[in-house]
Amino acid sequence: MLKINNLHASVEGTEILRGVNLEVKPGEVHAIMGPNGSGKSTLSSVIAGREDYEITQGNIQFEKEDLLDLGPDERAQKGIFLSFQYPVEIPGVTVTNFLKTSINELRKARGEEPLPANKLLKKMREKMGLLDMDKSFLSRSLNEGFSGGEKKRNEIFQMAMLEPKLGILDETDSGLDIDALRVVAKGVNTLRTKDNAIILITHYQRLLDHIEPDYVHVLSQGKIVKSGNKELALELEEHGYDWLKEPAV
Amino acid sequence: MSKENELLEEVTGSDYQYGFYTDIESDKAPPGLNEEIIRFISAKKNEPEWMVEWRLEALRGFQKMTEPKWANVNYPEPDLQAISYYSAPKQQEGPESLDEVDPELLKTFDKLGISLDEQKRLTGVAMDVVVDSVSVKTTFKEKLGELGIIFCSISEALQDYPELVRQHIGTVVPRTDNYYAALNSAVFTDGSFCYIPKGVRCPMELSTYFRINEAGTGQFERTLVVAEEGSYVSYLEGCTAPMRDENQLHAAVVELKAMDNAEIKYSTVQNWYPGDKNGKGGVYNFVTKRGLCEKNAKISWTQVETGSAVTWKYPSCVLKGDNSVGEFYSVAVTNNFQQNDTGTKMIHLGKNTKSTIISKGICAGQSNGNYRGLVKIGPRATDSRNFSQCDSLLMGSSCGSHTFPYIETQNKSAQVEHEATTSKIGEDQIFYCNQRGIGEEEAIALIVNGYCKDILNQLPMEFAVEAQKLLEISLEGSVG
């Protein structure tokens, strides 16, 4: 589904990603861990198509198509979803209105008619139940005055509504208390199917107690320095990142 | 930064969508401004003798005045002697039905998406359509007539209800109130007159579409709305103008009178030609709008301003009666080289008067948007209150936005609050929308509509939709 080959990316002349290789297949959950500044968030931004980064080498393929040729909206239309680490506020635009616009734009790109309002509402109610959300949420301005936990929950809610092929969760666990973490994890787990894939970007192992990954990768200084199964995450928890830092592969 | 510039390029790439011109023969006065022309206009319109004198008095006042320079806008002063002050579509008699209306005109309305047919059928809005100075068609007049409501062109009013017009005209905006109001008083050719009798609640939104439609003609509209004691009316004014190379002067005067316990809601959507992307052409929109509130009366101004090259207007409320209420809700968009100096004046004279000002400016391109507002609390205005909120949204780094709030209080018990914010549409917001599959233009429309929501909510439903469309058209592809 997603294939990253020798990806190099820099921002304002500083190289952040220095040759990332990663392959994600349908049905898989990959966790990408690493210390602060290792390039985790850069990687998610580059996949999603943020323009602040310059790709100096390598490529990204999504379903055999070269992703780097596409704008961020086109990538979203192909089925890539990013749960933002810091979701932005859009005053005056309700969650409902935002989601309606988003869903209908995605449908339009697939050549489908807009989703009728009653179906949209039904789906929203269903997904909100999954994430333990109050319906007052829908009429609030997007992320405006939301607590940290509400913002993250709102991201996962959008993911549930948009049903992407690839969901990238950028530090969705940071700033969440344990109850919120459980709810978010439950939401993500219900969205796991054999056809879609998830990339979890996280600093801590604790999210992986709730969402079990198939693979764990350690990103350090812009490269994946170690890959393994979920045991690797436990090892990291115990020993920290220092033992991996210096010797690049 | 490069992204910003690219986007700005795109903004300037969006052309005026209502740039077409209807070819109608017109009956036109020679250019120039003098007593003779005034007499010509007045005679053309078969006006009563007092009206001629009234106009001439305004002209004499005007001739002693000079154009004020305090607004934060720059433009070449219009040559008032080069303007033709009268132009009327050639027509024998007022049509009784749409069949009798010039088909060219109907086509024009179709292009604007405001075909009378559709308006009549779908919205139940009575329209007094003004094309180049003369009212062509008035609908629903009979129905309103049953309630004693008068809604007609001001020329008709001068024929049919001269005393009513005489009693009220110039009482809110005196003839020599300011340079352009004086000019308007001297040369106005048409406009609307609306009279709501005591205790009557007008059952429908009254709506007027203005168009400037003849090359080289200025348009001087005169609108007078009188709401008698305990009555209510919601009045909509919408404007679009076809594309023109030379600048066109538009100097309108709108007077509202809300008697005891009456309420007037006045909404405007203004989309005159703003000039091209290099700042060439466009309408000069120098308007005087003012309302007078008697006891317990209320006047609300709501405006969505997206057009004109230079705009200069301050819809105001004189809160004369005790407990009267004034409101001003405004969205003003400037793009490319547009300039805008707009705001309101809330003059608190009566006790316990209350005013609210919500102004949202949006600037893109090289444009310049200014909010200028006065809140004045007179010595008698005990316990009066004002709340003002002035927000600006900037797109790109080549535009400018300024806020000039003036507060004068002569009564210690008054409460005046002023809040102001300036923000930018961020690349972060755009990227967030993009990531959800929403393209650039839709993202901007979404963000801007969210920002203007409080104002758009004040507009009647069908107008809000149109206003939303206009915002999207005028900001197509823009951001920074």
Side-chain angles (χ1 to χ4, degrees), chain B residues 414-435:
Chain B
Q415 273 183 43
V416 178
E417 278 177 74
H418 183 94
E419 285 178 12
T421 66
T422 302
S423 52
K424 259 182 108 168
I425 287 197
E427 285 184 29
D428 283 353
Q429 284 175 319
I430 300 286
F431 179 66
Y432 190 88
C433 295
N434 285 166
Q435 213 302 303

Side-chain angles (χ1 to χ4, degrees), chain B residues 81-95:
Chain B
Q81 293 301 337
I83 293 173
S84 161
Y85 288 90
Y86 183 78
S87 120
K90 269 192 184 161
Q91 214 149 37
Q92 306 306 319
E93 279 170 13

Side-chain angles (χ1 to χ4, degrees), chain B residues 116-128:
Chain B
L116 277 175
D117 257 328
E118 203 184 16
Q119 290 284 350
K120 276 171 98 172
R121 201 178 64 243
L122 296 176
T123 61
V125 173
M127 315 256 302
D128 177 31

Side-chain angles (χ1 to χ4, degrees), chain B residues 66-77:
Chain B
T66 50
E67 191 182 36
K69 296 287 175 207
W70 46 263
N72 188 19
V73 290
N74 284 302
Y75 58 92
E77 197 173 325

Side-chain angles (χ1 to χ4, degrees), chain A residues 50 82 89 102 155 158, chain B residues 428-429 432 435-436 453:
Chain A
R50 202 175 190 116
L82 172 64
E89 296 179 5
S102 172
E155 293 292 293
Q158 292 178 47
Chain B
D428 283 353
Q429 284 175 319
Y432 190 88
Q435 213 302 303
R436 299 302 186 249
K453 196 165 119 188

